[in-house]
Amino acid sequence: MGLNQAKIESMVEKMPAFPRSVQQVIQLSGDINCPPRELVRVVEHDPVLTGRMLKIVNSSFFGLSRQIVSVKEALAFIGLNTLKHLALTLAAVGALPRSNQAGLDMDKFLTHALAVGATSRWIGSRGGVWSRSGDRLFISGLLHNIGNVVLALHAPREFVRIRNRARGSGQPAHVIEPKVIGTTRFEIGAMVADRWRLSQVTIDAIRYHRVSPPEVERTVDMDGLWAGAELVARLNGETLGDPTPASLEERLGGPIKDLLANRDEIAEVVARTEIFKTI
Amino acid sequence: MKVRFWGVRGSIPTPGPHAQKYGGNTTCIEVLTDDGEQFIIDGGTGIHALGTQLIKAGPLKCSILVTHTHWDHIQGLPFFTPLFVPGCEVGIYGTFDPVYGKSLREILSGQMEYCYFPVSEAELKADVQYKSLRPGMSFEVGKAKVTPVPMNHPVLTFGYVIEADNARVFYTGDHEPLKNIYEPTDDEFDEYEGLLEIRNESIERHLEGIDVLVGDSMYTEAEYPDKEGWGHGTHDSVFALAKRVKAKTVVMTHHEPFRTDEQLDAIHARFQEERNEDDPQVLVAYEGLEIFARN
């Protein structure tokens, strides 16, 4: 049994297009020489993104003493780096679908996506081998389960079957998925990311972060995303159930459980993403 | 109100023959009010000597105002002896990092993880309180009033106005004058120019007639074009700011690491020569420089 390749491709095709402005923001955010006026132009041309941006800049998150009424003014007051970060986060969160008809709780989905995104970015903030991976890891974390949304929207019966079997057997869903649909949600997620023209390193992180074949060399992004997802599970008293990649332990300089000493810090980083759910 | 400089370099500590007169420690400024309220602006490496000096009188109470958490402004904090002495009360004030979502405490305790430092934050003996500040929201410590003013640097940075004893002192922290992102020929140039006026006014309204203005003057005008966007000012930009707000005294600090004693002397001499009678008095900060802010 399973979904054939054509069916999967058609499901991915049915996903809403990634707004061009979001792609541009992601591209510009990754450019350390990003011209400020280019970023302003891209955000200003997307009224939804502009509205969200102004809402958060004027929220208690920043606590500015004056009302900011334009993207240009936001730039003058909060600076380019902070504006880039906000644009990236708001653009990516805004691109996620907000509803489906197959029992996938989108609020929970978004909460989990933000938690994994924020935790992965926290790992990226550790410097050293993780240097400059933070924003990419945030995007990967936010979208790591986007394949699940595709299934819930376009293959709802299979989605429910996978969920029930995983619950019944205690096995990770990605172990059940090949038997039900002939592929995994991470493969489907990678196809979505490819369609959305995200960078190859992000596509690969979504595809291979949980399990990678031996011929694939594990990247910083794959390991950072694996660690982000596992830490979020462990903070909830669970585990994803996959063996820890050796490359990750090498990059961390020790077992992942050592990072749990920073439990409060990670929880605070995750809590700060709450505001993006309400914007 | 006494102001004393314990660290005057930017970026990295630079001991050596070139820094015998001005010193090589990174940013740390002590402000002591007549009532004995002890403020320390930034915990660069200069804070080590300050802490050693302060603790001689026994347990103390002090407020550390952190402009931002780049290394040269926090690197000395783990070596601030009062943090390890029972009975000391240390308030650490600053902002959170909106990019990484980290609080001041997370960032500062991060540099005391075992891989960087042998004593963890949890092992400090002093009563340490972290206080997160909001832009422009003044607070009081004893009879002194402190106002955090958001400046322009790649990370969220506060300058601080300290008001006590009928006098006011301001330190910019790291600050680069804002620049129009458009070319004069662009349609948006005038609009952005107007926004910059508003933004500058949001800083300068706190500084009108300030008694002592301490400013980031990392670069010379000749160096600046290659450093644009790095978040620092020049000697001339700080002097211009001091003139605009009619400061009584301007102190240039956060010296570029390779700047030699002779070069700093020459810079001081140039401003002494060029300033008009009504212009602010110009000082170039060195370790041990002590001035008294009076109205």
Side-chain angles (χ1 to χ4, degrees):
Chain A
M1 240 199 345
L3 303 171
N4 63 38
Q5 186 65 19
K7 164 77 176 164
I8 292 170
E9 280 174 10
S10 114
M11 284 161 44
V12 169
E13 284 296 313
K14 282 182 197 156
M15 284 296 282
F18 218 35
R20 184 158 163 67
S21 60
V22 181
Q23 280 171 345
Q24 289 175 317
V25 166
I26 290 173
Q27 270 171 8
L28 286 169
S29 304
D31 176 4
I32 54 168
N33 297 314
C34 160
R37 66 168 119 175
E38 267 306 291
L39 187 66
V40 168
R41 187 186 61 76
V42 168
V43 177
E44 276 182 340
H45 278 76
D46 183 332
V48 176
L49 184 55
T50 298
R52 288 181 175 142
M53 170 82 72
L54 296 180
K55 198 168 170 188
I56 201 162
V57 170
N58 287 308
S59 74
S60 59
F61 188 75
F62 281 96
L64 296 177
S65 53
R66 73 176 267 115
Q67 177 87 1
I68 303 294
V69 298
S70 72
V71 179
K72 290 190 190 81
E73 193 176 2
L75 175 66
F77 272 80
I78 65 174
L80 178 62
N81 269 6
T82 310
L83 190 82
K84 262 162 74 171
H85 161 76
L86 273 188
L88 179 72
T89 306
L90 290 169
V93 171
L96 293 176
R98 291 291 174 118
S99 63
N100 72 98
Q101 294 167 351
L104 177 63
D105 182 334
M106 289 308 288
D107 265 357
K108 269 191 188 166
F109 173 83
L110 187 55
T111 301
H112 179 68
L114 280 165
V116 173
T119 308
S120 303
R121 179 160 57 201
W122 175 80
I123 290 163
S125 73
R126 296 170 64 80
V129 296
W130 308 100
S131 188
R132 296 206 178 277
S133 63
D135 282 341
R136 287 198 320 267
L137 282 169
F138 178 73
I139 294 290
S140 306
L142 203 60
L143 300 178
H144 77 290
N145 261 348
I146 193 75
N148 237 9
V149 177
V150 177
L151 286 172
L153 284 171
H154 303 297
R157 282 198 324 196
E158 287 82 356
F159 170 80
V160 171
R161 201 176 305 150
I162 292 164
R163 190 179 59 189
N164 291 345
R165 278 205 207 174
R167 280 179 186 163
S169 67
Q171 286 182 300
H174 69 83
V175 175
I176 311 279
E177 283 158 357
K179 298 169 196 161
V180 179
I181 56 171
T183 186
T184 66
R185 65 181 183 283
F186 300 126
E187 181 60 39
I188 296 174
M191 290 167 72
V192 174
D194 188 31
R195 179 166 182 259
W196 285 351
R197 292 192 195 163
L198 299 183
S199 69
Q200 193 59 44
V201 75
T202 299
I203 296 168
D204 288 344
I206 293 171
R207 178 178 280 129
Y208 294 129
H209 70 284
R210 287 287 289 278
V211 182
S212 52
E215 68 273 16
V216 170
E217 192 177 334
R218 287 193 66 85
T219 61
V220 162
D221 292 63
M222 292 176 204
D223 281 347
L225 180 53
W226 190 96
E230 178 67 16
L231 281 174
V232 169
R234 292 200 187 193
L235 287 175
N236 293 321
E238 299 166 356
T239 173
L240 297 177
D242 302 321
T244 308
S247 53
L248 172 64
E249 293 206 336
E250 207 172 294
R251 285 178 168 128
L252 289 176
I256 189 164
K257 70 178 168 57
D258 287 357
L259 292 181
L260 289 172
N262 305 292
R263 175 183 295 269
D264 292 346
E265 185 178 332
I266 300 169
E268 210 170 325
V269 164
V270 170
R272 287 222 181 81
T273 62
E274 288 284 315
I275 192 163
F276 292 104
K277 281 165 48 188
T278 63
I279 297 290
Chain B
M1 194 160 36
K2 182 188 85 172
V3 182
R4 184 183 167 104
F5 290 80
W6 293 83
V8 298
R9 292 280 160 183
S11 303
I12 188 170
T14 50
H18 76 294
Q20 293 297 302
K21 179 175 173 183
Y22 287 86
N25 282 297
T26 62
T27 303
C28 179
I29 304 167
E30 177 190 12
V31 178
L32 182 66
T33 71
D34 293 354
D35 287 334
E37 289 299 342
Q38 180 80 53
F39 292 96
I40 299 164
I41 310 181
D42 280 340
T45 57
I47 201 172
H48 174 240
L50 170 58
T52 308
Q53 172 73 29
L54 291 175
I55 204 63
K56 285 179 184 165
L60 59 105
K61 185 178 171 189
C62 67
S63 303
I64 300 176
L65 309 175
V66 178
T67 59
H68 66 300
T69 54
H70 281 165
W71 268 357
D72 48 333
H73 296 256
I74 62 168
Q75 202 174 4
L77 273 175
F79 299 89
F80 184 56
T81 311
L83 291 172
F84 301 90
V85 178
C88 288
E89 295 175 42
V90 182
I92 304 183
Y93 298 77
T95 181
F96 77 114
D97 175 357
V99 173
Y100 282 104
K102 289 187 173 187
S103 67
L104 183 65
R105 178 181 195 147
E106 287 161 33
I107 298 166
L108 295 182
S109 60
Q111 71 165 349
M112 294 187 79
E113 285 178 13
Y114 283 125
C115 51
Y116 302 118
F117 194 70
V119 184
S120 80
E121 191 233 5
E123 295 169 82
L124 300 180
K125 298 285 191 294
D127 176 10
V128 182
Q129 301 287 330
Y130 292 88
K131 297 175 188 181
S132 207
L133 303 176
R134 292 287 181 190
M137 299 293 281
S138 300
F139 61 97
E140 289 179 1
V141 179
K143 290 180 185 167
K145 182 176 158 191
V146 181
T147 304
V149 182
M151 307 302 288
N152 183 43
H153 196 57
V155 294
L156 187 53
T157 295
F158 282 151
Y160 289 101
V161 180
I162 302 177
E163 193 172 346
D165 315 322
N166 289 319
R168 290 184 304 140
V169 171
F170 176 70
Y171 173 45
T172 59
D174 287 3
H175 174 64
E176 179 173 4
L178 288 115
K179 183 174 176 284
N180 201 319
I181 61 172
Y182 297 99
E183 298 298 328
T185 47
D186 292 337
D187 291 343
E188 297 94 337
F189 183 85
D190 288 343
E191 180 193 355
Y192 203 78
E193 204 62 17
L195 290 171
L196 292 186
E197 262 179 44
I198 295 170
R199 176 71 176 99
N200 285 327
E201 197 273 333
S202 77
I203 295 173
E204 293 175 15
R205 70 190 165 88
H206 296 284
L207 314 185
E208 203 56 42
I210 197 101
D211 298 290
V212 176
L213 189 158
V214 182
D216 171 3
S217 35
M218 182 109 164
Y219 304 125
T220 62
E221 287 296 302
E223 290 162 345
Y224 180 71
D226 289 337
K227 317 283 185 182
E228 199 178 309
W230 291 20
H232 297 286
T234 66
H235 307 94
D236 291 79
S237 71
V238 169
F239 185 64
L241 171 65
K243 277 176 69 165
R244 277 199 307 278
V245 301
K246 298 185 170 49
K248 295 192 178 69
T249 299
V250 56
V251 188
M252 298 174 176
T253 191
H254 205 272
H255 307 314
E256 203 275 337
F258 291 117
R259 192 87 63 224
T260 65
D261 290 339
E262 291 73 23
Q263 288 168 335
L264 287 167
D265 280 346
I267 288 164
H268 190 205
R270 170 166 82 83
F271 281 95
Q272 292 290 66
E273 198 178 303
E274 290 178 3
R275 69 181 275 274
N276 295 318
E277 203 175 310
D278 294 340
D279 287 342
Q281 179 194 5
V282 179
L283 299 172
V284 175
Y286 57 86
E287 285 176 30
L289 170 64
E290 206 168 272
I291 48 182
F292 290 87
R294 299 192 199 291
N295 196 332

